Amino acid sequence: MSGPPELGELIEEFGLDEVHFVDSHRRPAVDIEATPRTWRCGQRGLRCLSDQLIDAAHAPPGRVATASTLAEGTVLRFTRHNRLGDALGIVTGLEHYCRDNAVASVAVTGSPALAEVVEVFACERVRYAPLSDRAVSGDAIFARSSWSLPWLDRFHHSVSDTYGGRVRHCVTPLLLRQEPERPEREDVVYCQFDARSGTALPLRSARRLLSQVAAHGDVHVLGGPDTQYYLGHDVTYVRAELPEMVARLLSCRLFIGCDSGLGHLAGCLAVPGLIVSTDDFETTWSFFRNYASLSVIPLAAAELLLS
């Protein structure tokens, strides 16, 4: 290993036997600076470096990507991955894949969430189509995706694994198809603690966070009857279709939620906010790490910061 003197100091301090520091070199085996920056920061620590080295070993500089075999007009059917977060990842990843690999257009089908995302976000190459018996199983392709990748990258990588072609290490959210008129920032905090989520906040913690957030603005909870039954009837609840939800999030002061589709929507829209991790923090962070406006924090830290 070579680089800043601090590397040598750490190796000496910890008495490593299999890692050595050299002051100078002519031709490094792996150029860390040339590997994808996606892997070069954050909470994942040593696993972050490990993934980076594996990527560098399997994708040497100058390698030509295989041509894509995804045919124009292919319809991908999704019967399982049909929630908002899934739809955002599918449509965004597929749109970028088609742009990068000169695939003129493909279609998705299977759920209203997919249709809404295609309608609201600016897709040039992905459209929504009626159900077709000849559609390719998108669920089977999605199953190839790695859970260690940021959410919007996952489907893009799984399509590349299936059909070849160029693959990105960081897929950016799509722009809105029609930018809504942005009202003045309202003194409203939207909270989303989905009772149906596998990572829902404990009731006592959710109620405590709601009471603390109320000091920073009017609190509106995004959720339906399940959430209302879970949190109680003394809170203002909001249910809206995707276009109205986009407008509401763009005008709010803050978003606080858990690992959910609405959390990813807030990230795509650059809404300032917190994602409260009630599950494995590393996993939650890996899903949300590319959203510059959102911070992922453990539940205990959220309660402390908002107290």
Side-chain angles (χ1 to χ4, degrees):
M1 184 177 292
S2 182
E6 289 79 7
L7 288 174
E9 293 172 5
L10 285 172
I11 290 172
E12 182 179 355
E13 180 70 24
F14 285 95
L16 302 180
D17 296 326
E18 299 184 13
V19 180
H20 303 277
F21 181 78
V22 293
D23 291 327
S24 61
H25 59 85
R26 293 183 178 179
R27 188 176 181 182
V30 176
D31 184 356
I32 297 299
E33 293 296 330
T35 57
R37 291 182 178 273
T38 304
W39 302 114
R40 290 178 43 201
C41 63
Q43 301 289 337
R44 302 206 307 154
L46 296 180
R47 187 182 298 181
C48 191
L49 176 60
S50 175
D51 285 340
Q52 182 180 347
L53 294 174
I54 291 172
D55 271 4
H58 285 87
R63 187 189 70 173
V64 178
T66 56
S68 171
T69 58
L70 179 61
E72 179 181 348
T74 298
V75 179
L76 302 173
R77 180 181 64 251
F78 298 88
T79 57
R80 292 180 58 245
H81 300 91
N82 55 8
R83 300 181 70 176
L84 177 59
D86 296 323
L88 284 169
I90 289 166
V91 173
T92 299
L94 194 56
E95 176 74 17
H96 283 295
Y97 176 87
C98 289
R99 291 179 186 177
D100 294 342
N101 293 284
V103 178
S105 67
V106 295
V108 292
T109 189
S111 80
L114 287 168
E116 286 184 322
V117 170
V118 170
E119 180 181 355
V120 170
F121 288 89
C123 301
E124 298 173 352
R125 300 174 185 253
V126 179
R127 60 185 177 86
Y128 186 81
L131 278 171
S132 169
D133 293 335
R134 291 186 291 180
V136 175
S137 174
D139 292 321
I141 297 173
F142 208 131
R144 295 170 176 258
S145 60
S146 169
W147 285 83
S148 67
L149 295 173
W151 185 260
L152 297 184
D153 291 15
R154 289 179 59 206
F155 189 68
H156 180 273
H157 279 257
S158 61
V159 172
S160 178
D161 287 344
T162 304
Y163 294 105
R166 179 184 171 192
V167 60
R168 295 188 182 193
H169 286 275
C170 181
V171 171
T172 55
L174 300 176
L175 299 175
L176 294 172
R177 186 179 299 278
Q178 183 176 359
E179 189 75 20
E181 293 185 9
R182 291 181 179 251
E184 293 184 4
R185 186 75 67 181
E186 297 179 330
D187 195 25
V188 173
V189 178
Y190 282 114
C191 295
Q192 195 271 327
F193 306 135
D194 192 346
R196 299 174 299 171
S197 170
T199 58
L201 272 67
L203 176 58
R204 181 177 178 182
S205 297
R207 291 292 307 186
R208 182 181 176 190
L209 283 177
L210 288 175
S211 65
Q212 292 166 345
V213 171
H216 302 274
D218 294 332
V219 177
H220 294 175
V221 173
L222 306 174
D226 290 337
T227 303
Q228 189 169 359
Y229 177 79
Y230 158 64
L231 289 178
H233 300 277
D234 57 338
V235 180
T236 302
Y237 291 90
V238 174
R239 295 190 74 185
E241 297 297 326
L242 185 57
E244 181 183 345
M245 189 60 66
V246 167
R248 284 178 175 270
L249 287 175
L250 287 174
S251 67
C252 76
R253 181 178 181 184
L254 184 69
F255 172 84
I256 299 178
C258 54
D259 180 3
S260 67
L262 286 173
H264 289 287
L265 178 63
C268 290
L269 300 174
V271 176
L274 297 176
I275 299 299
V276 181
S277 173
T278 59
D279 197 6
D280 177 63
F281 175 80
E282 182 178 295
T283 300
T284 306
W285 176 83
S286 71
F287 284 170
F288 287 87
R289 68 187 184 201
N290 280 348
Y291 299 125
S293 66
L294 298 179
S295 296
V296 182
I297 56 177
L299 175 60
E303 292 182 330
L304 178 63
L305 288 173
L306 295 173
S307 61

